[in-house]
Amino acid sequence: MTFRKVNIFILVLAVLIFLLVLHHNILGLSDLLKREFSGANPLGLQPVDFIPELPIRLTQDQNDNEIPVVITASEDRLGGVIAAMNSIHQNTKSNVVFYIVTLNDTVEHLRSWLSQTSLKNVKYHLLDFDPHVLDGKVQVDSAVPDSLKPLTFARFYMPNWVPNAEKAIYLDDDVIVQDDILALYNTLLQRGHAAAFSDDCDSTSNKFTARGAGNQYNYIGFLDYKKETIRKLSMKASTCSFNPGVFVANLTEWKLQNITQQLEKWMALNVVEGIYSRTLAGSITAPPLLIVFYKQHSHIDPMWNVRHLGSSAGKRYSPQFVKAARLLHWNGHFKPWGRTASYAEVWEKWYIPDPTGKFSLIRRHTDIYEAK
């Protein structure tokens, strides 16, 4: 009787072992089928819920609607930066992020100004510019050593400031935006173009001649066509120049084409050969950009860079036209925060007083007095 019970126990145990082995083999076959199907289709025959983990690139919390705006901030022009940022912030519902390029001695002042005013909720990054990157690339007038403004060259290094973006806007600090900057950001750039500028020959820009400097709105006003290096480029001297104070950059193309390295090459060459016009029209940042982007740039709507408001104290445009402009640009010597400038009242509408008291619009009256 005991021997019989042992046999029954052994038989049951054998059946159980057989069933376990069979179950294991069925599961193995199921896994094999899943792998086979998933090889032909990333999702195989599994429902999406069954996927244990989505690829990292799909799960990252990225905001594709971010609009990067690069702007420089020097200590003596912080009021301009504040007014420009405020005008952008107040006229858009888009996710604008400011990339503010500055020097170490300005950071705390700017941070205080932003944190203690209505701009405390804007999104921004403060980025330090190292002037040493310009060593050997710019000439400093020994008689006027302070004439060199390093931050004016920050625009040459766009991918450094916004390394993970495909597109960004660059703005000078002497602008006021009167419309939604999303429209500027959506400027269509042609295939292969790394930037879009506003040409100086457009219908909204006054064409004027600077005495002894040639036409300020074409290439001969910026480059020395007596130099063989310039002549070899076969760039027509009458080609319309463009304004580098407002532009949209395709940062992917910028990096692919090594735009920064190209600009540095021409800067260094100017130090050796002096290829810029001796009676330079406009800014010293323009010549390298004009060379690198010769007939290789797209165009922004001219109403997004209505300029020359700072070229004289007189009013160049009608009040109706200024009101319709989408972006006003006080390029020139007469800045709305420092001297008598046309339509300074429009700029002042967006200006936010400095809570630290370091920057004051009273300086405008001081400059007027000193200029007399």
Side-chain angles (χ1 to χ4, degrees), residues 109-159:
H109 185 188
L110 179 57
R111 186 179 281 120
S112 297
W113 202 332
L114 291 172
S115 63
Q116 297 179 47
T117 63
S118 58
L119 293 177
K120 61 185 177 182
N121 293 322
V122 301
K123 298 177 182 179
Y124 68 90
H125 301 282
L126 293 179
L127 306 165
D128 181 55
F129 184 82
D130 181 6
H132 291 296
V133 302
L134 302 176
D135 291 348
K137 303 179 184 73
V138 292
Q139 286 181 313
V140 179
D141 187 345
S142 57
V144 193
D146 294 333
S147 62
L148 177 64
K149 305 296 182 183
L151 289 175
T152 62
F153 297 95
R155 71 198 82 191
F156 289 7
Y157 301 89
M158 289 292 286

Side-chain angles (χ1 to χ4, degrees), residues 330-344:
W330 279 265
N331 60 314
H333 296 292
F334 296 90
K335 304 302 182 187
W337 61 81
R339 298 178 180 178
T340 301
S342 60
Y343 296 104

Side-chain angles (χ1 to χ4, degrees), residues 175-223:
V175 305
I176 288 296
V177 174
Q178 300 190 127
D179 205 341
D180 192 339
I181 202 165
L182 176 63
L184 177 60
Y185 181 76
N186 286 336
T187 296
L188 181 63
L189 275 72
Q190 296 181 34
R191 184 186 298 273
H193 285 181
F197 301 90
S198 178
D199 284 348
D200 285 324
C201 301
D202 62 48
S203 58
T204 66
S205 298
N206 273 17
K207 303 173 182 179
F208 61 97
T209 301
R211 184 173 298 175
N215 293 324
Q216 269 195 299
Y217 56 90
N218 60 26
Y219 271 50
I220 199 172
F222 295 88
L223 299 168

Side-chain angles (χ1 to χ4, degrees), residues 314-354:
K315 294 190 174 181
R316 181 179 296 275
Y317 306 114
S318 70
Q320 294 78 13
F321 181 74
V322 168
K323 185 177 181 179
R326 306 178 85 174
L327 183 148
L328 297 170
H329 189 180
W330 279 265
N331 60 314
H333 296 292
F334 296 90
K335 304 302 182 187
W337 61 81
R339 298 178 180 178
T340 301
S342 60
Y343 296 104
E345 69 279 4
V346 177
W347 181 88
E348 288 185 21
K349 184 175 70 172
W350 301 103
Y351 172 72
I352 300 174
D354 182 3

